[in-house]
Amino acid sequence: MLTLQVLREQKESVLEGLKKRHFKDAEDLVQEVIEIDKLRRETQNTLDSLKASSNADSKKIGELMKSGKAEEATVLRAAIAQDRDKVKALEGSLADFEKKQQDVLYKIPNVPATIVPAGKSAEDNISVHEHGKVPELYEGALPHWELIKKYDIIDFDLGVKIAGAGFPVYKGKGARLQRALINFFLNEADKAGYTEIQPPIVVNEASGYGTGQLPDKEGQMYFVNEDGLYLIPTAEVPITNLYRDVILTEEELPVKNVGYTPCFRREAGSWGAHVRGLNRLHQFDKVEIVQISKPEDSYRILDEMSLHVQGLLEKLELPYRKLLLCGGDMGFNSAITYDMEVFSAAQQRWLEVSSVSNFETFQANRLKLRYKNKEGKMQLLHTLNGSALALPRIVASILENNQTKDGIKIPKVLVPYTAFDLIS
């Protein structure tokens, strides 16, 4: 969430930035936060003064008793007792102001970075880089939802039988391809200096609030009611929350973690060809990279993370493009996001396979994630994350783009992991 200092001192620039998101309630919410904060600070000042006065009076009682002024001491004791009631009331008001302030702050999205364009939808995103040639497929080439049936490698009907729609069952070479991709992504992250983490795939409410999934995405998450736990939508949530309420040293930065997890998304989208097959699922596998950095380093690291993802796509020989998302298409928490999209030759459209984002201090402020600089001053850190990579659409693109009349060719870089070079 945005800091109070930024909202107080940079109100106009915050409102100007939020216009890029077309966030209609920005002015009202920002003003409400500022007004609540004013009342909170006034209450805090009154409380501090009352406590100081009461403490001073408590010391006077002893002096009065020593001087034989018992009657005056009794009057002062009564006044102090009244002050205690006032202190209790003021503390209650202060807690109410702090909760109300927090609730409003949770409703305000992150301010887009200066370079983010002010568009309304995905149509306004900007392509900043393209790589590779779109393959020309033979006549009669199939979309992946037909290919998986033809080669019996992924079964949606079995998934419906045991769980429901959006929970595929991977079989034989389909399962081995899935495992090969996971190992390939993890090994490449290891080479790039990331420490592998195997986190829980459920998180508590505090973790959901820490990285901003709550309250914004509550309807998209599976909830285990009896235990108050949420199934994770991405490994970003548990991995970043490892550092909740942590103070890092400058020598520990940047933190570089990677994790593979299954991910769960309750809202899998509308009906239609664009969400058929592996295009949109309730459960899917993903390898996630997370970095925590000093503010002055985060945009260099954002580029570094983007290049890492691009390198994976190039090694898989998949044609892709890199998009700078506009304000209207960006996630609630993000200050800037690059999407990587792979071209699916059989579907004749681009499929999003990765998002790489810099949240600046937005998550760190919620997490109370800070570091002590060389001058000994506490500062909020910047958090970043990226899909490296999400598997379903990568699998779909590999199947569709590499299909031949003889079968589906496996990218050369994956053959050491799959131990086969053709699905036939």
Side-chain angles (χ1 to χ4, degrees), residues 197-377:
I197 302 291
Q198 193 174 76
I201 62 170
V202 293
V203 293
N204 55 27
E205 186 178 67
S207 295
Y209 274 94
T211 44
Q213 278 65 41
L214 298 177
D216 180 50
K217 296 182 176 66
E218 191 166 5
Q220 298 176 27
M221 297 171 71
Y222 284 96
F223 182 58
V224 184
N225 190 57
E226 292 82 358
D227 303 299
L229 298 172
Y230 294 86
L231 299 183
I232 62 169
T234 166
E236 166 210 339
V237 182
I239 290 177
T240 310
N241 269 282
L242 295 175
Y243 303 93
R244 176 157 40 94
D245 298 318
V246 169
I247 298 172
L248 295 169
T249 63
E250 199 160 354
E251 291 71 31
E252 294 175 288
L253 299 169
V255 170
K256 298 177 70 172
N257 287 331
V258 61
Y260 153 68
T261 63
C263 303
F264 303 88
R265 178 173 44 211
R266 196 163 164 266
E267 296 298 328
S270 57
W271 297 100
H274 67 293
V275 294
R276 285 192 69 179
L278 298 170
N279 287 346
R280 202 156 180 84
L281 302 173
H282 286 302
Q283 179 182 331
F284 58 98
D285 289 329
K286 184 151 67 88
V287 173
E288 192 81 0
I289 51 175
V290 173
Q291 290 211 41
I292 298 168
S293 80
K294 293 188 290 184
E296 60 267 29
D297 296 334
S298 69
Y299 277 83
R300 172 185 58 78
I301 287 172
L302 177 68
D303 290 337
E304 171 195 304
M305 293 172 73
S306 297
L307 287 171
H308 177 78
V309 174
Q310 290 168 236
L312 296 176
L313 296 173
E314 289 169 19
K315 288 175 181 177
L316 291 172
E317 304 171 60
L318 292 171
Y320 72 87
R321 67 182 182 181
K322 176 182 177 180
L323 301 179
L324 172 61
L325 299 195
C326 68
D329 196 37
M330 227 165 41
F332 186 89
N333 304 320
S334 178
I336 182 171
T337 296
Y338 289 107
D339 272 5
M340 309 298 170
E341 295 185 340
V342 167
F343 191 80
S344 166
Q347 297 180 62
Q348 285 293 297
R349 68 189 190 92
W350 293 95
L351 302 176
E352 180 199 330
V353 294
S354 175
S355 286
V356 184
S357 300
N358 187 349
F359 305 113
E360 296 187 356
T361 61
F362 195 81
Q363 287 183 331
N365 189 32
R366 288 179 174 226
L367 294 161
K368 296 180 181 176
L369 170 55
R370 297 160 290 167
Y371 82 107
K372 189 179 288 188
N373 64 21
K374 290 176 182 177
E375 289 74 40
K377 182 181 177 183

Side-chain angles (χ1 to χ4, degrees), residues 110-128:
N110 204 353
V111 178
T114 306
I115 66 170
V116 171
K120 290 185 177 180
S121 67
E123 294 178 358
D124 300 312
N125 296 335
I126 298 173
S127 178
V128 295

Side-chain angles (χ1 to χ4, degrees), residues 170-188:
Y170 296 82
K171 304 163 61 178
K173 287 186 176 180
R176 288 166 66 185
L177 175 60
Q178 186 89 341
R179 176 160 49 89
L181 282 164
I182 292 166
N183 287 333
F184 169 61
F185 295 151
L186 287 173
N187 285 350
E188 290 298 303

Side-chain angles (χ1 to χ4, degrees), residues 137-209:
L137 302 181
Y138 65 95
E139 187 176 346
L142 301 171
H144 72 271
W145 52 83
E146 297 293 342
L147 290 169
I148 61 176
K149 291 180 181 178
K150 179 178 179 180
Y151 295 108
D152 192 27
I153 53 175
I154 302 173
D155 196 318
F156 277 88
D157 291 335
L158 282 178
V160 169
K161 177 182 177 181
I162 62 175
F167 296 91
V169 174
Y170 296 82
K171 304 163 61 178
K173 287 186 176 180
R176 288 166 66 185
L177 175 60
Q178 186 89 341
R179 176 160 49 89
L181 282 164
I182 292 166
N183 287 333
F184 169 61
F185 295 151
L186 287 173
N187 285 350
E188 290 298 303
D190 179 68
K191 292 176 188 176
Y194 289 88
T195 299
E196 185 175 349
I197 302 291
Q198 193 174 76
I201 62 170
V202 293
V203 293
N204 55 27
E205 186 178 67
S207 295
Y209 274 94

